[in-house]
Amino acid sequence: QVREELGGLSFHVAGQIWELCKEENVFVTGITYQVTKLLSVALDRDNAVIPLRGESQVREELGGLSFHVAPEAFFQVNTSGAEVLFRRAGEYAGVTSSASIFRHQSASQMQSTGSDGQRSGKETESGEAARERRTVVLDICCGTGTVGQLLADPSDPNVTIVGIDVCAEAIENARENAKRNGFSSCEYVAEKAEVALPDLLERYVRPDTNIVAIVDPPRAGLHKNVRKALLNNTRIQRLVYVSCNPNSLCDDASFLCNGSDRSDAFVPIKAVGVDMFPQTPNVEMVMLLERSKDRDTSDE
């Protein structure tokens, strides 16, 4: 009865907010409602998100691509800052220089990031050589498919995007966003990364395949089984870690780089912080890790 009363009250309040926004010329596309005791709406599978007014999903433009976002799905709210963040992730990943995040970069954005969207020197040559082979972008904790789609080129037949996320609504968004943005060679799996990753690695990792892993985990960081799978599968030569919590990033990077003193563990190559929330203590981090045995240290 309390839940029904709350639902009725929320519907009434949503109607008042909707009309007030129209009167004040405030642009609101939709209002949704959910009763939950959890910190994340995506984790509450027992209480559905109920649309009250307008559209049930948010539509965003990012890096020249279009994304629909369900209420349960994660998406960066600071889209201008997200373009800076994902552009740097794209530079680190080195999947393709014709990715959307580079093609839609303005002159002012190029100046602010201090980069032209290209990898230079030995990295460019190495990246070009790798791109002659089939490339799989392994997008772990992919959400609505944002990172993988921004870092790839839909016209490149040699690139396949494989995304994993625990939120079923986000995965449905990712599939529809991929179609909307012109990607045909992709697979999105609604499952915990630690459950889905072993099978996906077995199916996609081949001797002639260049594997680039992108991880963008929640604040707690990567599950221990995901860390082990990334470390143990030596076909993954490059790993780009996008983090909203530098503490968990350090924990995960320590494991991936130490690897029980194995010679083929990862090595941290470079990292950068992106201030997504000015005047707060929070900062997003992007770190590039590569296999130590493949790292050329002759000029260092």
Side-chain angles (χ1 to χ4, degrees):
Q1 182 180 358
V2 173
R3 186 179 296 274
E4 292 178 357
E5 291 178 357
L6 283 173
L9 178 62
S10 297
F11 191 85
H12 175 69
V13 172
Q16 292 182 320
I17 294 174
W18 188 261
E19 294 302 321
L20 180 62
C21 289
K22 288 173 59 178
E23 293 174 6
E24 300 295 329
N25 294 320
V26 176
F27 183 67
V28 176
T29 60
I31 301 175
T32 60
Y33 161 81
Q34 182 191 39
V35 176
T36 181
K37 295 181 179 179
L38 302 180
L39 295 177
S40 170
V41 297
L43 298 177
D44 194 339
R45 313 312 299 174
D46 297 325
N47 299 292
V49 177
I50 302 171
L52 297 178
R53 288 288 191 277
E55 299 181 11
S56 60
Q57 299 195 10
V58 173
R59 302 181 185 184
E60 284 285 2
E61 300 288 330
L62 189 61
L65 300 183
S66 176
F67 297 95
H68 287 198
V69 186
E72 300 89 345
F74 173 80
F75 199 86
Q76 293 284 1
V77 295
N78 182 351
T79 52
S80 296
E83 290 198 3
V84 176
L85 178 74
F86 295 144
R87 187 173 303 111
R88 188 53 57 93
E91 294 169 15
Y92 287 3
V95 176
T96 173
S97 59
S98 59
S100 172
I101 197 66
F102 298 139
R103 288 186 282 111
H104 294 269
Q105 184 176 5
S106 68
S108 61
Q109 289 170 330
M110 289 171 64
Q111 184 177 6
S112 66
T113 59
S115 171
D116 60 359
Q118 304 288 332
R119 298 172 66 86
S120 60
K122 293 183 179 180
E123 290 179 311
T124 299
E125 295 172 5
S126 174
E128 291 296 338
R131 285 193 290 270
E132 293 177 359
R133 298 178 293 156
R134 178 170 174 261
T135 296
V136 172
V137 178
L138 191 58
D139 192 358
I140 301 171
C141 306
C142 67
T144 59
T146 313
V147 182
Q149 292 176 35
L150 286 171
L151 271 54
D153 182 349
S155 65
D156 190 340
N158 294 320
V159 176
T160 298
I161 302 172
V162 180
I164 313 168
D165 200 278
V166 70
C167 179
E169 292 82 1
I171 288 296
E172 185 60 31
N173 282 150
R175 292 168 180 160
E176 293 300 321
N177 291 335
K179 294 178 183 178
R180 187 175 298 108
N181 293 321
F183 290 93
S184 57
S185 182
C186 53
E187 177 181 359
Y188 288 100
V189 179
E191 185 56 272
K192 293 180 179 179
E194 59 270 23
V195 175
L197 190 55
D199 175 66
L200 291 172
L201 287 173
E202 183 177 350
R203 288 197 288 120
Y204 281 97
V205 174
R206 296 290 183 269
D208 62 341
T209 302
N210 175 42
I211 304 292
V212 178
I214 315 290
V215 297
D216 188 3
R219 293 191 62 81
L222 295 172
H223 188 278
K224 61 180 181 180
N225 291 342
V226 175
R227 300 193 307 189
K228 290 179 181 178
L230 292 171
L231 178 63
N232 292 335
N233 198 305
T234 56
R235 292 299 306 169
I236 301 175
Q237 298 296 313
R238 177 172 293 168
L239 171 63
V240 179
Y241 195 127
V242 180
S243 173
C244 59
N245 184 356
N247 292 326
S248 59
L249 167 60
C250 289
D251 290 341
D252 287 337
S254 177
F255 178 88
L256 293 166
C257 296
N258 289 332
S260 299
D261 297 324
R262 53 191 292 170
S263 61
D264 58 357
F266 285 97
V267 174
I269 305 302
K270 49 189 171 182
V272 66
V274 179
D275 189 3
M276 296 285 289
F277 306 101
Q279 301 181 34
T280 75
N282 300 311
V283 63
E284 295 271 331
M285 293 290 296
V286 185
M287 177 179 286
L288 170 64
L289 302 102
E290 294 179 349
R291 290 286 172 180
S292 57
K293 66 177 182 178
D294 291 333
R295 179 62 176 164
D296 181 2
T297 58
S298 59
D299 60 345
E300 295 184 353

